[in-house]
Amino acid sequence: WWQRAPSRFWSTVLHGVYFSYYLVVPAGPLYFLWKRDRQNLRRVILAEVLTFAICYVVFLFYPVAGPYYEFPHPGTGFLDNDAARMVYGVLAGGSSYGAAFLSSHVAGMLIAAGVSAMRSRRLGLLLGVPSLLLTVGVVYTQMHYAMDALGGVAVAGAVMLIVVIREQRVAGSG
């Protein structure tokens, strides 16, 4: 996609949201820890751990090398920004070969935003914007195939459904 529509602006924005993964995923737990809200802290951590466990089990049984490994890397004009340099610096330091499907980046960020939004609309919106951009950005920046991103969306949706059903059962029994 970047080859057909190279954009320094979108490269900067989408590599930036890709890197924001390292901030978004812990944001919910840190927020609820700061608020001393143990119930929501547990909810967010449980949902995130379940999400990553599902993705990692799939990696074990269905390893897929992402487009980062299969196609020529983007050109210097596309990568001539701090966000892209940070992302590629982290990848050069040790990315996981065979861990493209399902996109744990997409699943993790969407679940972090979704579960956080259940108790803090403002936090959910704050985390939701980069999460949605990342869902598109992982394909544009050639980190994942579209199927990887869609798989991450499906995992996040399934985990959100589990969280909502669990909440309804807990509310119904109390």
Side-chain angles (χ1 to χ4, degrees):
W1 183 5
W2 70 266
Q3 293 171 337
R4 292 200 174 129
S7 166
R8 183 179 175 157
F9 171 78
W10 286 114
S11 173
T12 303
V13 170
L14 297 176
H15 280 100
V17 296
Y18 188 85
F19 198 78
S20 76
Y21 166 85
Y22 300 106
L23 302 173
V24 169
V25 170
L30 290 173
Y31 174 80
F32 292 116
L33 180 65
W34 175 67
K35 291 284 207 174
R36 298 177 194 261
D37 184 344
R38 292 181 66 141
Q39 181 180 359
N40 287 309
L41 175 62
R42 279 192 193 129
R43 176 184 297 114
V44 172
I45 290 173
L46 178 63
E48 289 183 3
V49 168
L50 178 58
T51 299
F52 288 117
I54 292 168
C55 290
Y56 298 156
V57 166
V58 172
F59 296 162
L60 286 173
F61 293 104
Y62 191 67
V64 174
Y68 172 75
Y69 297 103
E70 299 297 321
F71 296 100
H73 289 191
T76 54
F78 187 74
L79 301 177
D80 189 22
N81 61 77
D82 290 335
R85 281 190 284 277
M86 285 191 312
V87 168
Y88 279 91
V90 168
L91 290 175
S95 67
S96 299
Y97 185 84
F101 182 83
L102 312 156
S103 173
S104 62
H105 282 84
V106 170
M109 283 185 66
L110 289 175
I111 205 66
V115 176
S116 294
M118 290 175 71
R119 294 298 183 254
S120 173
R121 182 176 285 197
R122 183 176 293 163
L123 180 61
L125 287 172
L126 182 68
L127 302 180
V129 171
S131 299
L132 293 174
L133 285 170
L134 175 106
T135 302
V136 173
V138 295
V139 177
Y140 182 72
T141 60
Q142 195 173 293
M143 300 297 167
H144 288 281
Y145 298 106
M147 288 304 298
D148 306 337
L150 292 173
V153 170
V155 168
V159 172
M160 277 301 297
L161 184 61
I162 291 167
V163 169
V164 168
I165 290 169
R166 184 175 180 271
E167 291 295 308
Q168 290 173 345
R169 285 188 180 158
V170 168
S173 66

